[in-house]
Amino acid sequence: MKKTKKIFIVSIFMTFFMTITGSVAHGSSLDEQNQATVASSGWANANCITFSDDFYLFNSGVTKMQVGQKITVYGEIDFSGDTLPIGQAQIIFSNVDPALAASYDNNLTFDFTNKKGYFSFSIVLLDSIVGPKLFTVKVLDSNPEDKQHLTPYSQTQTIIQDPNDPYLDTKNDDPSDPSEPSDPSDPSDPSEPSEPSEPSEPSEPSEPSE
């Protein structure tokens, strides 16, 4: 009887020990998973866009262009933060004025060591404009639903027409309304001398009153 009682007590103790051990192990496993989830998340920022080479004037926000002129602009994006979300960056153009045409080949290259991105695009002024015309360059997260988070950035550019644009001269000259020379036979033409008027006859003197 005593032997059976000892076996029963030992069995209860072992069951209790295994339950506690399993709970501790399970808790440790959850902590490791949570830590892994946090560790797999990343954050980064797109801080600014800088235009280089001959197009540094784009950095002022205002650029002069001529009608029909197509220019290729080279841009550099400055990033900060984790590498993975930086690699999810994409470039889009929005709010492009109808007087402008923007073209981008979706080619964005990265320098992860220095946290830089490089891209190029072309812009064309399609017609003569009055006042400034705008377009916006945006840096966005291409996969905003995952755990790699990139803070978006946008930069608006302004295009004005070059006052030295030859197109302005041709548009001001309206060939549909040429000035016609005056007809010499036109009696209203002031270039023809008018005929001298005949002198009026002198009036007869009135008789003096008595």
Side-chain angles (χ1 to χ4, degrees):
M1 182 69 179
K2 290 182 179 181
K3 186 175 181 181
T4 302
K5 188 174 182 180
K6 288 181 179 180
I7 293 174
F8 178 73
I9 292 173
V10 170
S11 177
I12 292 175
F13 177 77
M14 292 297 295
T15 301
F16 179 72
F17 177 78
M18 292 177 66
T19 300
I20 293 177
T21 303
S23 298
V24 172
H26 181 66
S28 300
S29 177
L30 289 176
D31 289 341
E32 290 174 357
Q33 290 178 6
N34 291 335
Q35 291 175 1
T37 300
V38 173
S40 64
S41 299
W43 288 266
N45 296 315
N47 300 314
C48 68
I49 299 174
T50 304
F51 299 105
S52 58
D53 298 333
D54 294 336
F55 307 103
Y56 69 94
L57 291 177
F58 267 75
N59 298 317
S60 68
V62 180
T63 303
K64 297 177 182 179
M65 291 186 65
Q66 297 184 358
V67 174
Q69 179 185 16
K70 179 180 180 180
I71 60 176
T72 301
V73 185
Y74 297 91
E76 176 184 290
I77 309 170
D78 178 68
F79 293 100
S80 61
D82 299 321
T83 299
L84 289 178
I86 289 175
Q88 294 186 172
Q90 66 173 343
I91 301 290
I92 67 168
F93 289 79
S94 66
N95 304 320
V96 181
D97 190 276
L100 305 172
S103 178
Y104 170 58
D105 60 4
N106 293 314
N107 184 21
L108 176 60
T109 59
F110 297 96
D111 176 359
F112 291 110
T113 301
N114 297 305
K115 298 183 179 180
K116 302 287 186 182
Y118 302 95
F119 69 103
S120 64
F121 66 95
S122 63
I123 189 80
V124 181
L125 178 59
L126 300 175
D127 199 358
S128 184
I129 57 177
V130 177
K133 303 301 179 183
L134 309 178
F135 69 94
T136 301
V137 186
K138 294 183 177 181
V139 184
L140 301 178
D141 190 337
S142 62
N143 191 7
E145 304 300 327
D146 69 358
K147 298 174 184 178
Q148 308 303 321
H149 309 287
L150 176 67
T151 303
Y153 175 83
S154 65
Q155 187 165 305
T156 299
Q157 301 297 134
T158 302
I159 301 296
I160 60 175
Q161 189 166 1
D162 188 343
N164 297 320
D165 188 349
Y167 184 82
L168 292 174
D169 296 332
T170 59
K171 191 168 186 179
N172 290 335
D173 296 336
D174 187 4
S176 63
D177 186 23
S179 58
E180 297 182 358
S182 58
D183 186 356
S185 63
D186 188 351
S188 63
D189 187 353
S191 61
E192 288 190 357
S194 59
E195 295 181 359
S197 59
E198 295 181 358
S200 59
E201 295 182 357
S203 59
E204 295 182 357
S206 61
E207 296 182 359
S209 59
E210 293 181 355

